[in-house]
């Protein structure tokens, strides 16, 4: 928790009158979210977060609700009273197992008349305590509910839990905490000083400030349909500073027939990217899902496949070295293993090493789904992802980035944040790489959930960028479009536009005070500033980037 602005709130308030929310901080008496998370297994558990919050006493041991009838399985469980509608519950607990070396343990929320839902998972070990963090959003009020624990492969193992915590946040409290993070992690205080050439302070000089670019990469997938499509291009450039190609770089697209490389579409899209100073992620070099590999790969011998793999890396990297800020080196490796099956267990490790050798400055990502979206997918829990990263690192891979696809249906915000907290312990860049909301929901509901997910991502201190999976093609979009085919906003597009304008400083004008200075709080990015006094004026630019200190910027007239 950073307390900087909370402690000096009186002077701080004067400085940032424009941003009155901070002054409200001194009157906010709700809970401040605790970002703590642990990935190592500890001999002693830590104290419960929030002093335990509202969770009742000790867990009791009950017959496991889903156990089969042949044996009696006992599970630790917590009974919750008074589950309030619309409340966001942050849950955490320390877990230890016996009888097995290691097992994946999940916490499940059981409420009468509703489907059981996973609210957190952890890879637990014997002999030490592991930290499970998650939570849930209650959609209706309930007098009672139960949280119970089980091994995800339904093995009969003893589970112990301790230091449990359940902290409720109202929607307003959750929003306050997000806003607080945005204001402390995505913005910085600036003081502009204006003097004349002799150094005398100039009071009453007019300062015009305009944010001309944003630091935070926020963008969307694009498809070949953007080539030569001026309305699409204009629409995109007006909003976004980052992009990714939906399909056009995938192996199946660039080499549909062995040896016949065709980068025409990727090149034309890259031209658009360069013409508009957009940053672009490279997606993807390999995709483990056998459904999406080029047909001709299926029947290759291991050694032919190995040389095809090497040519693919060599060709992409020599052509596009330095063009893409990231490479999704191996897509969806937590779910599929086409290459491992054919080339051996170290296939992914070798991909990382070879790609790094070819483009040492590109940030290399693993990218997967059902990681931040749910804890129900046993193949892609946060701990499985972290284990994979650690294995690659131990093998000598330079693994620099965590790509969380973020294909949501109904987002569980408490779980999303808890999982991000756990990834944050690794100190690697985290990107939400393919954000959308399922098309099983109507447009209004998609927009509602999209706003929740985007606020969650932007307010998490460890998220470095957000990409939407909303490429438009004549057939529509993968799950969610922001506009119709004439670029008129759908509800989701309105949300994106609203947040883009909320998350920028914009343009404004003011006067220097008796110290010849003027202070404001701005989002990270580049600024153009014009100072004018009498007949003299000067225009210049400066950058605001992440730093705890106030930026001081001097202008002489
Ligand atoms: C139920 O929870 C709400 C919100 O956490 C609280 O305001 C209320 O007093 C609680 N009611 C009871 C009976 O505990
Ligand atoms: C390469 O791809 C482009 C775009 O799809 C296509 O127009 C062109 O004919 C292809 N070139 C060859 C040699 O197949
Ligand atoms: C692979 O690419 C070909 C040609 O671009 C396309 O027809 C086919 O649908 C693609 N297959 C998959 C599985 O994406
Ligand atoms: C792969 O080999 C099988 C068996 O020889 C054959 O039936 C199939 O058509 C081949 N597939 C491709 C894509 O060449
Ligand atoms: C999880 O992985 C296993 C082994 O790779 C596979 O058999 C299973 O189908 C996967 N499950 C899901 C949901 O992807
Ligand atoms: C995989 O890589 C690791 C680390 O470099 C090495 O110790 C191990 O022997 C390799 N395994 C195989 C099957 O090549
Ligand atoms: C100018 O700055 C003062 C003091 O910081 C502030 O009270 C006022 O609202 C600002 N005016 C505008 C138009 O931003
Ligand atoms: C501004 O310039 C005009 C014309 O050169 C001059 O008459 C005037 O005194 C100047 N004003 C100031 C404040 O310097």
């Amino acid at each position: 928790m950073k307390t900087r602005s909370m402690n000096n709130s009186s002077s701080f308030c004067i400085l940032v009158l424009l941003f009155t929310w901070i002054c409200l901080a001194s009157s906010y008496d709700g809970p401040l979210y605790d970002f703590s998370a642990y990935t190592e297994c500890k001999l002693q558990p830590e104290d419960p977060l929030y002093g335990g919050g509202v969770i009742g006493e000790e867990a009791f041991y009950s017959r496991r609700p889903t156990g089969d009838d042949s044996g009696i399985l006992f599970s630790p469980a917590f009974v919750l009273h008074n589950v309030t509608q619309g409340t966001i519950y942050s849950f955490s607990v320390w877990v230890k197992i016996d009888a097995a070396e290691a097992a994946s343990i999940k916490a499940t929320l059981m409420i009468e008349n509703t489907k059981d839902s996973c609210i957190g998972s952890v890879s637990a070990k014997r002999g030490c305590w592991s930290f499970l963090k998650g939570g849930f959003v209650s959609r209706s009020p309930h007098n009672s509910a139960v949280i119970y624990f089980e091994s995800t492969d339904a093995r009969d193992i003893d589970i112990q839990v301790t230091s449990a915590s359940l902290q409720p946040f109202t929607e307003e409290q959750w929003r306050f905490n997000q806003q607080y993070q945005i204001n402390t992690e995505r913005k910085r205080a600036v003081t502009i000083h204006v003097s004349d050439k002799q150094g005398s302070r100039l009071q009453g000089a007019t300062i015009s400030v305009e944010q001309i670019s944003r630091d935070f990469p926020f963008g969307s997938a694009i498809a070949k349909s953007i080539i030569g499509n001026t309305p699409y291009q204009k629409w995109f450039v007006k909003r976004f500073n980052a992009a990714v190609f939906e399909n056009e770089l995938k192996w199946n697209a660039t080499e549909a027939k062995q040896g016949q490389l065709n980068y025409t579409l990727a090149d034309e899209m890259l031209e658009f990217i360069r013409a508009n100073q957009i940053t672009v992620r490279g997606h993807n070099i390999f995709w483990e899902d056998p459904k999406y590999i080029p047909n001709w790969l299926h029947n290759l011998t291991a050694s032919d496949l190995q040389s095809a793999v090497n040519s693919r890396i060599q060709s992409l990297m020599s052509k596009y070295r330095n063009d893409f800020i990231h490479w999704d080196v191996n897509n969806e490796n937590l779910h599929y293993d086409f290459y491992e099956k054919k080339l051996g267990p170290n296939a992914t490790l070798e991909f990382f090493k070879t790609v790094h050798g070819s483009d040492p400055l590109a940030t290399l990502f693993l990218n997967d789904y059902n990681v931040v979206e749910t804890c129900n997918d046993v193949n892609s829990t946060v701990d499985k992802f972290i284990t994979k990263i650690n294995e690659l690192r131990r093998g000598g891979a330079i693994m620099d980035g965590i790509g969380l696809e973020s294909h949501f249906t109904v987002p569980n915000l408490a779980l999303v944040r808890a999982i991000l907290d756990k990834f944050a312990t690794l100190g690697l860049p985290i990107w939400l790489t393919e954000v959308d909301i399922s098309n099983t929901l109507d447009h209004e509901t998609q927009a509602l959930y999209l706003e929740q997910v985007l606020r969650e991502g932007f307010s998490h201190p460890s998220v470095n960028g957000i990409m939407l999976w909303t490429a438009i093609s004549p057939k529509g979009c993968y799950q969610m479009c922001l506009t119709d085919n004439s670029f008129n906003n759908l509800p989701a597009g309105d949300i994106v536009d609203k947040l883009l304008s909320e998350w920028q400083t914009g343009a404004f004008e003011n006067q220097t005070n008796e110290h010849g200075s003027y202070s404001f709080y701005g989002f990270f990015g580049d600024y153009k500033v014009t100072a004018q006094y009498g007949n003299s004026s000067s225009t210049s630019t400066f950058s605001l980037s992440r730093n705890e200190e106030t930026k001081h910027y001097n202008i002489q007239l």
Side-chain angles (χ1 to χ4, degrees), residues 131-152:
F131 187 63
L132 180 155
K133 196 175 192 190
F136 58 96
V137 183
S138 148
R139 312 261 162 214
S140 49
H142 296 281
N143 287 330
S144 74
V146 173
I147 295 173
Y148 68 92
F149 300 83
E150 65 186 325
S151 148
T152 53

Side-chain angles (χ1 to χ4, degrees), residues 333-337 341 369-370 376-380:
N333 187 211
L334 293 174
H335 291 94
Y336 306 100
D337 56 358
K341 274 198 189 118
Y369 64 92
N370 280 358
N376 246 337
D377 187 335
V378 295
N379 285 354
S380 53

Side-chain angles (χ1 to χ4, degrees), residues 143-442:
N143 287 330
S144 74
V146 173
I147 295 173
Y148 68 92
F149 300 83
E150 65 186 325
S151 148
T152 53
D153 51 12
R155 273 187 297 164
D156 181 9
I157 55 175
D158 246 357
I159 303 169
Q160 292 176 57
V161 297
T162 191
S163 279
S165 165
L166 185 72
Q167 177 61 50
F169 292 82
T170 64
E171 279 168 29
E172 294 71 33
Q173 290 168 342
W174 196 260
R175 179 66 74 89
F176 177 89
N177 275 276
Q178 286 177 331
Q179 215 43 47
Y180 178 71
Q181 289 303 320
I182 289 172
N183 281 282
T184 51
E185 302 289 340
R186 307 280 181 216
K187 290 165 101 171
R188 185 169 167 195
V190 195
T191 296
I192 295 171
H193 302 268
V194 184
S195 67
D196 63 17
K197 293 275 190 293
Q198 288 68 48
S200 309
R201 298 155 165 168
L202 296 177
Q203 178 179 1
T206 301
I207 306 282
S208 312
V209 178
E210 185 188 358
Q211 185 178 6
I212 52 176
S213 76
R214 310 158 190 268
D215 260 12
F216 188 86
F218 183 42
S220 169
I222 54 177
K224 62 177 184 231
S225 56
I226 203 164
I227 298 166
N229 184 339
T230 314
Y232 191 179
Q233 297 188 359
K234 280 195 171 143
W235 175 87
F236 192 94
V237 169
K238 210 172 137 196
R239 288 165 178 78
F240 299 125
N241 61 3
V244 59
F245 303 168
E246 187 180 35
N247 290 317
E248 291 74 5
L249 265 186
K250 289 172 183 165
W251 199 352
N252 181 46
T254 63
E255 195 177 357
K257 292 209 185 88
Q258 183 168 19
Q260 299 184 13
L261 293 168
N262 190 337
Y263 291 110
T264 309
L265 297 175
D267 284 344
E268 288 175 6
M269 289 164 77
L270 208 49
E271 232 169 79
F272 159 72
I273 293 293
R274 278 195 290 259
N276 295 287
Q277 300 178 294
I278 294 165
T279 52
V280 60
R281 305 190 71 245
H283 174 84
N284 52 50
I285 304 179
F286 298 109
W287 190 355
E288 292 275 3
D289 188 342
K291 283 201 297 296
Y292 298 108
I293 62 167
N295 257 332
W296 54 271
L297 281 191
H298 284 285
N299 282 357
L300 295 185
T301 62
S303 75
D304 287 347
L305 180 61
Q306 186 61 58
S307 43
V309 155
N310 291 345
S311 309
R312 161 82 172 156
I313 297 177
Q314 168 60 27
S315 157
L316 263 187
M317 293 300 126
S318 59
K319 186 162 171 57
Y320 293 125
R321 189 182 163 97
N322 297 349
D323 281 327
F324 292 89
I325 58 163
H326 301 160
W327 285 107
D328 287 332
V329 174
N330 198 6
N331 205 38
E332 304 183 348
N333 187 211
L334 293 174
H335 291 94
Y336 306 100
D337 56 358
F338 173 81
Y339 294 97
E340 276 77 3
K341 274 198 189 118
K342 300 256 181 176
L343 302 175
N346 279 352
T348 301
L349 175 62
E350 296 307 323
F351 294 170
F352 272 87
K353 287 181 170 173
T354 313
V355 173
H356 177 72
S358 311
D359 189 353
L361 296 185
T363 308
L364 307 187
F365 275 65
L366 280 179
N367 188 53
D368 225 307
Y369 64 92
N370 280 358
V371 183
V372 81
E373 295 93 326
T374 173
C375 53
N376 246 337
D377 187 335
V378 295
N379 285 354
S380 53
T381 63
V382 52
D383 286 351
K384 291 256 170 80
F385 200 126
I386 289 173
T387 301
K388 184 92 207 172
I389 292 171
N390 289 338
E391 273 171 23
L392 290 170
R393 284 175 149 184
R394 262 200 308 278
I398 312 289
M399 220 302 299
D400 307 293
I402 299 167
L404 304 173
E405 292 185 9
S406 311
H407 293 292
F408 286 96
T409 306
V410 182
N412 172 352
L413 301 185
L415 181 70
V416 172
R417 193 180 292 178
I419 288 172
L420 292 173
D421 293 347
K422 210 162 197 188
F423 278 121
T425 62
L426 300 183
L428 294 172
I430 300 171
W431 281 55
L432 307 187
T433 52
E434 308 184 6
V435 176
D436 64 13
I437 308 291
S438 164
N439 61 13
T440 55
L441 302 168
D442 61 45

